[in-house]
Amino acid sequence: MKICYFHAFSGISGDMTVGALVDAGADSGQLIEGLNSLGAGAEFKIEKTKRHGITASKFHVFGGEQKAHRHLPHILKMIDASALPPAAKRNTARVFQKLGEAEAKVHGVPIEKVHFHEVGAVDSICDIAGACLGLELLGIDAVYASAINTGGGTVNTEHGVLPVPAPATAELLTGKPVYSRGPEMELTTPTGAALLATLAEGFGPMPPMQIRSAGYGAGDKDFPEHANVLRVLVGEASG
């Protein structure tokens, strides 16, 4: 069984996830081809960079309707009409469903009425689809994750200044092991939280495995105190 272990010591976001999976060996050409089939009008770039001395891959999304406020049915239609592999389609839809349920609970509205604000923008749609496709391209059978560093302080959102973890992030991570360390800013986004809340089978120490590859996805900022990367370890379960 092939395992992917997410080490979220500097939190997790959608773009960090895609960067880490490509860094671990997911074919970038096939990934971008799959994302183009969403018809979002976006362009993509994956570049090598460094965070606190560690080489990592940074995933960028350019163009498209970045500020469009989409509802869940519209996003699900985009996913269904794409050329993503069936399993990647299912997982992408599952992540958005989980995200929609969290947003609906936080804002006290029916799920079909949820405006997806930041996570309904093209970059977030492509981040989530790219993460699910990256796992598929690597042939991952099971996902596990460490305890999650949420960051601290506050974050500016469409709803104004909110505490970290943001309400939707806190809802998604209910029952999961979390902590706050490092700079006073958002390290784990709702997108990143939704990916792990939906796809991870367990949280905690790394399961017994033979590591085949490691990948590092770069966050936006370079911190002085630690490498702002998401690490993924890919390998075979060793029992």
Side-chain angles (χ1 to χ4, degrees), residues 41-227:
E43 295 182 1
F44 311 99
K45 179 182 176 184
I46 300 166
E47 64 175 350
K48 285 288 187 183
T49 185
K50 281 190 177 181
R51 293 289 182 267
H52 206 57
I54 293 181
T55 302
S57 293
K58 184 78 177 80
F59 177 63
H60 300 276
V61 180
F62 305 101
E65 299 174 271
Q66 291 295 338
K67 297 301 181 184
H69 291 181
R70 295 174 176 84
H71 294 87
L72 182 62
H74 181 192
I75 294 171
L76 294 179
K77 283 180 182 176
M78 286 179 70
I79 296 164
D80 190 54
S82 73
L84 294 172
K89 278 187 182 181
R90 284 195 301 273
N91 283 334
T92 304
R94 285 174 60 215
V95 173
F96 268 107
Q97 182 72 29
K98 177 82 79 174
L99 194 51
E101 290 168 359
E103 294 278 3
K105 183 173 180 180
V106 165
H107 299 300
V109 297
I111 190 168
E112 63 274 8
K113 300 282 189 182
V114 170
H115 283 282
F116 273 83
H117 298 303
E118 289 97 339
V119 293
V122 163
D123 51 357
S124 293
I125 293 170
C126 294
D127 287 346
I128 290 173
C132 294
L133 179 55
L135 291 167
E136 180 81 358
L137 291 172
L138 287 170
I140 301 301
D141 299 305
V143 171
Y144 295 90
S146 68
I148 301 164
N149 187 359
T150 62
T154 59
V155 61
N156 292 316
T157 74
E158 290 272 355
H159 300 284
V161 177
L162 295 174
V164 171
T169 303
E171 176 63 29
L172 287 160
L173 296 180
T174 297
K176 311 294 190 287
V178 299
Y179 64 98
S180 175
R181 186 181 65 206
E184 289 289 288
M185 63 177 293
E186 183 180 57
L187 297 182
T188 293
T189 66
T191 302
L195 283 164
L196 290 187
T198 306
L199 302 176
E201 295 186 20
F203 292 80
M206 182 171 59
M209 64 188 289
Q210 291 184 331
I211 297 172
R212 303 298 187 198
S213 66
Y216 298 86
D220 289 333
K221 294 180 169 58
D222 197 3
F223 304 137
E225 59 267 43
H226 72 259

